[in-house]
Amino acid sequence: ASAHLVNPTALKEALETRRVRAAAFDGYWTEPLPTASEDALGLLALPDDMFVVTPHTAAKTHTAWVRMVELAVDNVMQESDKGPFDADR
């Protein structure tokens, strides 16, 4: 998940009470990533089997880039079939 879509305080409570078993995020609420001891949210001090964070890598695979290009081309082709751009459409 993207960090900014989730309330970090509620997530920490849910993880600690095991209502949520584990969470993984592509990015964190603050950048650069603080050390576990400097993390005001306390999530980075949780065990790795409860909380994992990656440095915005979800869209950096070859497959993801190919798919993004395909979608962009498809969108351009669909719009070009509609004729000149009309902002009121």
Side-chain angles (χ1 to χ4, degrees):
S2 176
H4 296 284
L5 299 175
V6 176
N7 178 315
T9 304
L11 175 63
K12 185 171 186 271
E13 179 184 336
L15 288 166
E16 290 175 333
T17 61
R18 304 307 275 179
R19 284 183 304 180
V20 172
R21 186 171 180 96
F25 283 76
D26 186 41
Y28 201 62
W29 288 268
T30 58
E31 290 184 14
L33 187 67
T35 63
S37 63
E38 295 172 336
D39 179 25
L41 302 173
L43 289 164
L44 298 174
L46 295 173
D48 290 344
D49 65 342
M50 289 177 72
F51 186 75
V52 175
V53 62
T54 62
H56 295 295
T57 59
K60 291 186 171 81
T61 66
H62 175 74
T63 302
W65 280 98
V66 167
R67 187 68 186 128
M68 283 188 278
V69 169
E70 290 173 346
L71 288 170
V73 169
D74 287 348
N75 288 338
V76 169
M77 296 303 292
Q78 287 176 13
E79 286 301 313
S80 69
D81 289 344
K82 295 178 183 177
F85 178 72
D86 180 359
D88 295 324
R89 282 198 278 201

